[in-house]
Amino acid sequence: MTALFFRDLKLSIRASGSALVGVLFFLTVVAVIPFGVGPDLNLLSRIGPAIVWIGALLAALLGLDRLFQAERDDGSLDLMLMQETPLVLTVLVKCFAHWTATSLPLVIASPFLGLFMNMNEIAIGATMLTLLAGSPAITFIGAVGAAVAVALPRGGLLVSILVLPLTIPVLIFGVSATYAAVEDPAPFLPPFLILIALTLFFAVIGPAAAALALRNTSD
Amino acid sequence: MNETSLAISKFSDLANPTRFLALAQRTIPWMAAATVLCLIVGLYLSFSTEGDYQQGETVRIMYLHVPSAWLAMMCYTVMSISAIGTLVWRHPLADVSAKAAAPLGAAFTLLALVTGSLWGKPMWGTWWVWDARLTSVFILFLMYLGLIALNRAIDDPSRAARVTAVLILVGFVNIPIIKFSVDWWNTLHQPASVVRLDGPAIDPEFLRPLLVMAIGFTLLFFTLHITAMRNEIWRRRVAAQRRLAARMASREE
């Protein structure tokens, strides 16, 4: 399992440079927003956490179709289906590796983008913390989409369409926890705990559903 | 034969598409007639009863809006049960049922959104707000469209059905969110007033046409659903016949 984790990690870092592409995409999305809403710093600092969250969500979706695609192309997916370790566990480990390779860089990059958005220290810290807690949920949900679309020739766009509606609760509680940290009256802990609960919930549902879908797509 | 095994054998008898088609042939006219009857009575009641003292005539939108919203959720539940049927029992009609239900669900959800929007304009002064109920129903609509797109993207019908079934089941988490969104988040949309533990909080004057319309809509859904399932079975038979004909033709050359 550890071997699989490091193999996936190396592959995704070396082969596609997905971490770099993801962070670049994140940067571009966030940089485009001020052109759209205008360079008003007060407004930007107010909507900043939401924008960083949306940018991270879109960037996390970007590399999802590659989660199982390469394995299917070179046939190692069939080996994974046949091996003795439960497929759910394999998928879970692959999700962790994918998260480390693509979403963790986004979390690390988010403070710099927070600076662009004129956010204060507390807001930046809260955004980073909520992203750290919430982004695994996005990967787990995305694994279902990636597994479902693995048989399709051009599944990438479809994955985003299928996955985005399901990620909305994560986005809602991630952003509301961040706002709660910045604005005094609302307590930070309840939405943050719900966010963690969502991540744990999808850590169970996601790999199980993805494994089920992978078994059913293989002929 | 005890009662359970009888029930199981009835259930598996339906797995035979020919038997299902025969059954559909017999039931569709009756269901269609009952639907028309219910809708006529429901519409008559909806227009003959008095308007609300506060909302005036626009309250009549409710008689279309509430049943379609109910059905939008019930249709997804039917799809989820079908998805379990596909994945667990490999019931040959379950994937036909799920596939036939998706466009119907999308249609009812769209109807609920549009009527809600038309009702919201005079009541709330806006076509659309991002409150919990509206947003979660909108997500339901997106999910129906995504499921239809996914099902169409895979050629092999049985594989498409199994893959779609997984996603249907994952998406089912949205249904309780929709149901309880008005209780969990106190927003513009009114809380549940018909199905409650302490009885309906709605005046019988409004409840009567609403219930008749709801029954009519449900019958409409099942009529359309069985008809769509029948069409899907026929479509698959035609495709199979075409493949057979093509194979014969290529063998003759």
Side-chain angles (χ1 to χ4, degrees):
Chain A
M1 285 294 107
T2 340
L4 178 68
F5 178 80
F6 283 110
R7 168 191 167 276
D8 262 36
L9 196 59
K10 274 181 199 155
L11 270 180
S12 55
I13 289 172
R14 286 197 197 140
S16 47
S18 55
L20 191 68
V21 175
V23 172
L24 268 180
F25 182 75
F26 188 23
L27 182 68
T28 319
V29 169
V30 173
V32 163
I33 301 293
F35 291 101
V37 301
D40 179 8
L41 281 181
N42 288 329
L43 179 67
L44 283 181
S45 70
R46 200 155 54 80
I47 61 174
I51 287 171
V52 173
W53 250 95
I54 291 170
L57 178 64
L58 293 178
L61 289 180
L62 191 64
L64 270 179
D65 56 321
R66 280 197 299 264
L67 190 54
F68 302 111
Q69 196 75 58
E71 269 80 7
R72 183 187 162 83
D73 290 347
D74 66 10
S76 48
L77 185 65
D78 293 329
L79 290 179
M80 285 173 192
L81 286 170
M82 281 188 287
Q83 72 190 2
E84 278 181 12
T85 39
L87 187 61
V88 180
L89 211 58
T90 313
V91 172
L92 187 68
V93 171
K94 281 183 74 64
C95 286
F96 275 127
H98 186 265
W99 179 80
T100 318
T102 56
S103 295
L104 194 60
L106 300 176
V107 176
I108 296 168
S110 60
F112 302 102
L113 297 171
L115 285 179
F116 279 175
M117 290 286 127
N118 194 31
M119 282 148 62
N120 59 23
E121 293 82 6
I122 303 171
I124 288 176
T127 310
M128 203 172 162
L129 194 63
T130 49
L131 270 179
L132 190 66
S135 59
I138 297 168
T139 310
F140 292 132
I141 301 167
V144 185
V148 156
V150 73
L152 306 177
R154 295 181 54 80
L157 191 61
L158 195 57
V159 173
S160 310
I161 295 172
L162 297 175
V163 165
L164 264 180
L166 295 172
T167 56
I168 289 175
V170 182
L171 182 70
I172 290 173
F173 287 106
V175 173
S176 61
T178 313
Y179 279 126
V182 181
E183 288 154 19
D184 268 330
F188 170 73
L189 214 49
F192 188 65
L193 288 180
I194 292 179
L195 187 65
I196 292 174
L198 279 174
T199 298
L200 294 175
F201 176 69
F202 282 116
V204 177
I205 298 285
L212 194 60
L214 281 177
R215 280 211 192 286
N216 281 313
T217 42
S218 61
D219 327 76
Chain B
M1 203 187 269
N2 60 16
E3 213 150 272
T4 352
S5 62
L6 195 71
I8 289 174
S9 87
K10 267 193 186 145
F11 186 62
S12 55
D13 273 0
L14 273 181
N16 184 336
T18 312
R19 289 221 182 108
F20 175 80
L21 284 181
L23 187 70
Q25 206 65 36
R26 265 183 289 141
T27 47
I28 286 176
W30 292 103
M31 290 181 66
T35 309
V36 172
L37 195 69
C38 262
L39 286 181
I40 287 175
V41 174
L43 282 175
Y44 173 75
L45 283 177
S46 321
F47 280 101
S48 60
T49 47
E50 280 176 30
D52 188 66
Y53 76 99
Q54 221 174 2
Q55 306 193 3
E57 298 297 310
T58 53
V59 76
R60 302 191 201 288
I61 299 174
M62 177 178 78
Y63 304 131
L64 287 179
H65 173 70
V66 176
S68 24
W70 277 349
L71 275 187
M73 287 192 280
M74 195 191 74
C75 183
Y76 201 92
T77 315
V78 167
M79 282 172 73
S80 304
I81 296 168
S82 307
I84 296 173
T86 302
L87 290 175
V88 179
W89 296 297
R90 303 273 158 125
H91 197 281
L93 281 179
D95 57 338
V96 175
S97 156
K99 190 179 177 189
L104 295 175
F108 280 119
T109 316
L110 185 65
L111 195 60
L113 285 170
V114 169
T115 51
S117 185
L118 290 174
W119 197 9
K121 184 61 183 168
M123 289 303 109
W124 299 341
T126 170
W127 296 107
W128 184 259
V129 283
W130 288 100
D131 92 334
R133 175 61 66 85
L134 272 67
T135 313
S136 52
V137 172
F138 187 62
I139 294 168
L140 182 70
F141 181 58
L142 290 182
M143 273 178 4
Y144 275 124
L145 296 186
L147 289 171
I148 295 170
L150 179 69
N151 207 312
R152 298 237 164 126
I154 304 175
D155 288 329
D156 176 15
S158 71
R159 208 175 63 178
R162 274 176 280 149
V163 169
T164 317
V166 174
L167 206 65
I168 290 173
L169 287 182
V170 173
F172 190 71
V173 294
N174 195 23
I175 295 297
I177 296 182
I178 295 176
K179 179 70 191 73
F180 296 109
S181 55
V182 280
D183 304 328
W184 290 342
W185 292 282
N186 222 345
T187 44
L188 213 48
H189 204 285
Q190 62 166 347
S193 52
V194 179
V195 184
R196 278 161 53 133
L197 285 178
D198 52 349
I202 181 172
D203 193 90
E205 179 80 15
F206 301 114
L207 189 61
R208 221 175 305 121
L210 185 61
L211 281 184
V212 177
M213 282 303 273
I215 295 169
F217 265 62
T218 315
L219 283 170
L220 176 68
F221 166 73
F222 278 115
T223 312
L224 290 175
H225 188 215
I226 290 178
T227 316
M229 280 174 76
R230 187 186 62 176
N231 291 350
E232 180 64 24
I233 293 172
W234 279 344
R235 195 179 295 126
R236 286 186 188 179
R237 288 198 173 167
V238 168
Q241 292 287 331
R242 279 210 187 119
R243 267 201 302 277
L244 200 65
R247 207 175 299 148
M248 296 294 259
S250 68
R251 205 174 288 164
E252 276 167 15
E253 276 172 13

